[in-house]
Amino acid sequence: MPVVPVRHPRDRGRDWIVLAGDPPSPVDPPASCRFHTHCPLAADVCRERTPTLDTPAEGHAAACHFAPANI
Ligand code: SF4
């Protein structure tokens, strides 16, 4: 279990996930979703198509095939 400083009191007791896989290279980023080598939710579509940047709510933006319609 990694030791991570708590950034904000509201984060105490929160479950953290440790990402597996390789972080994407900023010099040679992977095709399609740039995060698919490191994302626990990656599926075939993530490796085949680049997600578009959507703005489901004012002040929120997400480029993910599985982003909720209303963040
Ligand atoms: S599109 Fe979303 S779910 Fe798929 S790899 Fe990228 S961040 Fe993960």
Side-chain angles (χ1 to χ4, degrees), residues 33-37 39-43 45-46 49 51 63-67:
C33 178
R34 303 289 198 237
F35 196 57
H36 80 261
T37 60
C39 178
L41 303 177
V45 66
C46 307
R49 292 193 354 240
C64 175
H65 294 298
F66 302 105

Side-chain angles (χ1 to χ4, degrees), residues 11 13 15 17 20-21 25 30 36 42-44 47 49 52 56 59-60 63 66:
D11 292 337
D15 289 334
I17 60 170
S25 167
H36 80 261
D44 288 344
R47 291 177 272 278
R49 292 193 354 240
T52 57
H60 296 267
F66 302 105

Side-chain angles (χ1 to χ4, degrees), residues 1-69:
M1 174 65 98
V3 177
V4 180
V6 176
R7 295 176 300 175
H8 192 279
R10 72 168 177 252
D11 292 337
R12 289 189 201 285
R14 183 177 179 179
D15 289 334
W16 297 94
I17 60 170
V18 178
L19 297 178
D22 298 323
S25 167
V27 177
D28 185 22
S32 305
C33 178
R34 303 289 198 237
F35 196 57
H36 80 261
T37 60
H38 207 50
C39 178
L41 303 177
D44 288 344
V45 66
C46 307
R47 291 177 272 278
E48 295 165 0
R49 292 193 354 240
T50 302
T52 57
L53 182 63
D54 293 325
T55 52
E58 187 174 328
H60 296 267
C64 175
H65 294 298
F66 302 105

